[in-house]
């Protein structure tokens, strides 16, 4: 069993599955509805725990009744929650998600994350005690930078989920060991994958990748750029696939090299798209 620490965003996700995307002014009955914890750090922590590992999640949910739904889901999936919001009575970030069953694509509407903060005392050097890996998603930057600094001192590998560029990330990048970014991640002045890789290399990052949905993963490691194939599947729901990828990568990188870890994480993420929701894949033994 490995121990992973995850710090970042958690939400309450309410997902509606519809036969086709809504037209203007249309009312449409959902084929199915699911509700659970969401967000990049939360989904990655659930994935890491699904492999039999110990996952601790530092985030902000609070005491609002809506938060209980996400907390119960995290507890069901054996994620240790360190709830550290500085405004415990405030509602959690609520996401309304529509998944088009005709193609598996999703649309997400969520409440503002810009002013969400964690308590200053929510972390300490002891937070990383016995940790094997740390993953950050770019949210809660003051705590993220501090944890990454301690991780660097302790030689604990740190994975960045670069979903999109966020103000202040330049302070975090020099501390990153593995940058796994989406195709929407563009640091200032970057316009294409090559410029993104160049920017990350300038910050001292040696291992980096850009996921591109079902297209091959672009990777840079050991001074060379290459592509990692992605398994072709018939997707019914792509929600959370990137988050699942990061959680699986954290599991595999502790036992494998960078490129093999990307390939295996890609397999898990791809297969998760063949079932509805971000949890059903866990019940299928062949994925674990």
């Amino acid at each position: 069993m490995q121990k992973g620490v995850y710090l970042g965003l958690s939400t309450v996700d309410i997902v509606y599955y519809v036969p086709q995307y809504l037209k203007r002014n249309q009312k449409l009955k959902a084929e199915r509805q699911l509700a659970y914890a969401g967000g990049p750090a939360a989904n990655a922590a659930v994935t890491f725990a699904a492999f039999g590992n110990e996952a601790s999640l530092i985030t902000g949910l609070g005491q609002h009744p809506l938060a209980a739904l996400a907390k119960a889901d995290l507890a069901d999936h054996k994620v240790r929650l360190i709830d550290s919001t500085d405004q415990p009575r405030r509602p959690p970030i609520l996401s309304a998600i529509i998944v088009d069953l005709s193609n598996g694509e999703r649309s997400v509407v969520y409440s503002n994350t810009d002013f969400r903060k964690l308590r200053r005392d929510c972390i300490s050097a002891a937070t990383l005690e016995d940790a094997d890996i740390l993953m950050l998603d770019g949210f809660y930057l003051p705590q993220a930078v501090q944890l990454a600094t301690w991780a660097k001192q302790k030689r604990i590998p740190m994975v960045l989920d670069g979903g999109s560029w966020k103000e202040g990330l330049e302070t975090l990048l020099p501390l990153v060991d593995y940058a796994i970014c989406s195709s929407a991640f563009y640091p200032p002045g970057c316009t294409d994958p090559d410029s993104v890789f160049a920017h990350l290399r300038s910050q001292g990052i040696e291992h980096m990748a850009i996921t591109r949905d079902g297209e091959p993963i672009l990777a840079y490691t050991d001074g060379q750029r290459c592509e990692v194939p992605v398994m072709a599947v018939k997707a019914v729901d792509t929600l959370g696939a990137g988050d699942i990828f990061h959680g699986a990568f954290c599991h595999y990188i502790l036992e494998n090299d960078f490129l093999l870890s990307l390939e295996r994480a890609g397999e898990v993420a791809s297969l998760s798209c063949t079932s509805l929701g971000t949890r059903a894949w866990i019940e299928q033994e062949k994925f674990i």
Side-chain angles (χ1 to χ4, degrees):
M1 177 188 295
Q2 308 284 3
K3 180 178 179 180
V5 176
Y6 295 76
L7 182 144
L9 187 66
S10 296
T11 63
V12 177
D13 286 358
I14 300 177
V15 191
Y16 299 91
Y17 294 91
V18 297
Q20 69 276 332
Y21 198 73
L22 286 77
K23 300 176 182 177
R24 184 179 179 185
N25 273 339
Q26 181 183 13
K27 292 183 179 180
L28 188 62
K29 180 181 178 181
E31 299 284 340
R32 190 175 180 186
Q33 181 187 48
L34 296 175
Y36 35 62
N43 282 331
V46 167
T47 301
F48 190 75
F51 284 93
N53 299 308
E54 180 181 337
S56 297
L57 173 64
I58 305 167
T59 190
L61 282 170
Q63 300 171 3
H64 190 277
L66 282 172
L69 188 154
K71 290 181 175 181
D73 176 55
L74 293 170
D76 285 346
H77 290 90
K78 298 180 174 56
V79 173
R80 175 175 174 256
L81 174 64
I82 304 172
D83 187 11
S84 305
T85 179
D86 69 342
Q87 299 182 59
R89 296 179 180 272
R90 185 177 184 178
I93 299 168
L94 185 64
S95 297
I97 302 164
I98 297 175
V99 177
D100 184 342
L101 288 173
S102 68
N103 55 27
E105 295 180 354
R106 83 289 187 272
S107 299
V108 182
V109 179
Y110 59 93
S111 52
N112 193 295
T113 62
D114 295 344
F115 302 108
R116 303 280 176 159
K117 296 181 180 179
L118 300 182
R119 298 193 316 272
R120 293 183 178 181
D121 64 349
C122 70
I123 60 170
S124 68
T127 302
L128 295 175
E129 186 175 359
D130 299 324
D132 297 294
I133 198 161
L134 168 67
M135 198 209 84
L136 307 169
D137 62 10
F139 289 93
Y140 306 123
L141 268 173
Q143 289 82 9
V145 171
Q146 181 60 77
L147 269 186
T149 300
W150 287 330
K152 184 69 72 174
Q153 294 169 353
K154 295 173 178 287
R155 297 185 178 180
I156 298 169
M158 198 277 273
V159 178
L160 173 66
D161 175 352
S164 62
W165 182 260
K166 299 170 183 64
E167 184 178 354
L169 270 181
E170 61 274 1
T171 61
L172 184 61
L173 290 182
L175 302 168
V176 172
D177 295 295
Y178 303 99
I180 315 296
C181 308
S182 77
S183 57
F185 182 85
Y186 285 109
C190 296
T191 57
D192 55 35
D194 286 336
S195 60
V196 172
F197 283 155
H199 183 85
L200 296 177
R201 292 200 308 272
S202 73
Q203 300 302 307
I205 302 174
E206 297 181 0
H207 309 287
M208 61 202 80
I210 298 175
T211 58
R212 303 182 297 165
D213 300 321
E215 297 297 317
I217 301 164
L218 303 180
Y220 187 95
T221 186
D222 296 328
Q224 295 187 343
R225 186 181 187 276
C226 58
E227 292 189 359
V228 178
V230 172
M231 182 173 59
V233 297
K234 183 178 180 180
V236 298
D237 185 4
T238 60
L239 180 66
D243 307 336
I244 292 168
F245 182 99
H246 285 85
F249 176 84
C250 288
H251 168 74
Y252 287 120
I253 194 61
L254 293 173
E255 300 175 352
N256 301 280
D257 64 32
F258 182 63
L259 294 179
L260 182 57
S261 297
L262 291 176
E263 183 176 353
R264 290 188 173 178
E267 291 174 356
V268 175
S270 293
L271 291 171
S272 76
C273 295
T274 63
S275 56
L276 297 184
T278 56
R279 305 288 186 259
W281 68 273
I282 297 173
E283 306 302 324
Q284 302 182 41
E285 185 177 349
K286 63 181 179 181
F287 296 144
I288 304 302

